[in-house]
Amino acid sequence: MTKFSDLNLNPKVLKAIEEAGYESPTPIQAGAIPPALEGKDVLGIAQTGTGKTASFTLPMITLLARGRARARMPRSLVLCPTRELAAQVAENFDTYTKHLKLTKALLIGGVSFKEQDKLIDKGVDVLIATPGRLLDHFERGKLLLTGVQIMVVDEADRMLDMGFIPDIERIFSLTPFTRQTLFFSATMAPEIERITNTFLSAPERVEVARQATTGENIEQGVLMFKGSRRDREGSEKRKVLRALIDGEGKKCTNAIIFCNRKTDVDIVAKSLKKYKYDAAPIHGDLDQSQRTKTLDGFRDGTLRFLVASDVAARGLDVPSVSHVFNFDVPGHAEDYVHRIGRTGRAGRDGKAIMICVPRDEKNLSDIERLVQREIPRLENPLGGGKPVEDETAPADATEEKPKRSRSRSRRKDETETVAADAAPVEKAPDEKPARSEAAQDGEKSRAPRNGGDNNNDDTQKRSRGGRGRGRKGNDNNDRGGNTVVGLGDHTPEFIGLSFKERR
Ligand code: AMP
């Protein structure tokens, strides 16, 4: 088996690795470190959890250990799709450079430009950044990328999902042609292939086995759930979620609850809080200081439930997560693997429980095909088949209870989709019902794919179903069988007249 000491890493880096407690390199490290140290471009196909951060950080700092940084001209650049991932890379960097004199700057949104400018002015060896913030600095004329000798692109497929590819291309073009590129992606979508063909030069391709088969140490289950009514599905699903959590009892020390859409992340977190569960949301629209606080709380065990979107939770390294709950079936099968990989890390046992509504059954089949196993079906903890009424709601925690006539509320739903982001969460019983869930459908169909925060576009089904439409027509059936659909209660006289040709 390869040892770290076989890899030609700087002795001070080896010392830091030893102190980190790593015994031997992971497959992506054993594969990527030697060509990277030889100065070759590397195309690493690996996902988080494989040790890929060290696979580019260790050779990078070994190469940078010789030489000095110049003002405003960083010597290397690491691009990450999210602030959290960038911060995580920065932490890794600190761990491994402990015995070296290398400097870094972290350029992410939500942090003042002033502090970041100061660091860049002094000169940094490693710049770790999200693409947008990096370009902001560049455009302000504070940063030169012509000194970049090594450029790392991390989680390229997530960059693609988030629409960062044009930024990445621009950044590539601002760095010297002679730079070394270390490029990592979990999957090789055609667009990613195109970028690597354009910007990488004869790369060494290192692929580690995809985590397509999910770890044996993660117990999985799916609850097939059908709401009693479409407009109640959201609140009933939230109730089922609470019952599933309760069913796990003390075994559930902490959990990440994944939702497909940001609006649902907010709604589920708010609902759980209202029912006295220790929960907080994390997604891309939240303020950075709040995201950091939430994440820190989850990491140090003071927050029990993290309700997350795929983008925000992607790549996060929280060593012990006892449970993952998929409030929604992810629309992309690989996301299921990423999500449940948050539990059962480092050889621990984990449990992943998912709720599947009828319209997500196709996505469930895709997941089962990818992981090559049938996910065991779970019993509804609230009793099979029985509609899930929200009877246990505490006095201060009422969920939506539809009351008005169906045709009216449905028509409203179909015109009020824009209000999705501001949808009320737990409504007082006498408020207008059924808006938030249907409104979110509008959100689904409106928003582009951005890394899993929207999914399952079912607007077609909705319009096909046409619930609430044409009822007036039916109501007119008592007019001697001459049903007129769509004219309301009044049928103008001329409709009944026969036509005569005019001569
Ligand atoms: P990553 O895929 O970079 O997010 O790394 C996942 C986790 O594996 C992190 O907690 C690392 O600290 C840890 N790790 C990285 N390399 C090794 C190694 N060679 N041995 C043991 N753990 C490692």
Side-chain angles (χ1 to χ4, degrees), residues 111-126:
V111 178
S112 96
F113 276 98
K114 222 170 142 195
E115 290 302 308
Q116 297 178 337
D117 282 345
K118 252 198 238 163
L119 285 171
I120 296 170
D121 278 348
K122 271 199 239 160
V124 289
D125 296 298
V126 183

Side-chain angles (χ1 to χ4, degrees), residues 4 21-26 29 47-54 88 92 96 315 317 345:
F4 276 115
Y22 302 167
E23 281 164 15
S24 50
T26 64
Q29 291 163 1
Q47 44 187 271
T48 320
T50 54
K52 85 180 152 57
T53 315
Q88 206 164 280
N92 273 253
Y96 308 134
D317 185 32
R345 281 166 97 81

Side-chain angles (χ1 to χ4, degrees), residues 331-349:
H332 293 254
E334 307 92 60
D335 284 340
Y336 177 75
V337 180
H338 290 305
R339 288 180 180 188
I340 77 163
R342 306 293 97 212
T343 179
R345 281 166 97 81
R348 289 185 181 87
D349 286 337

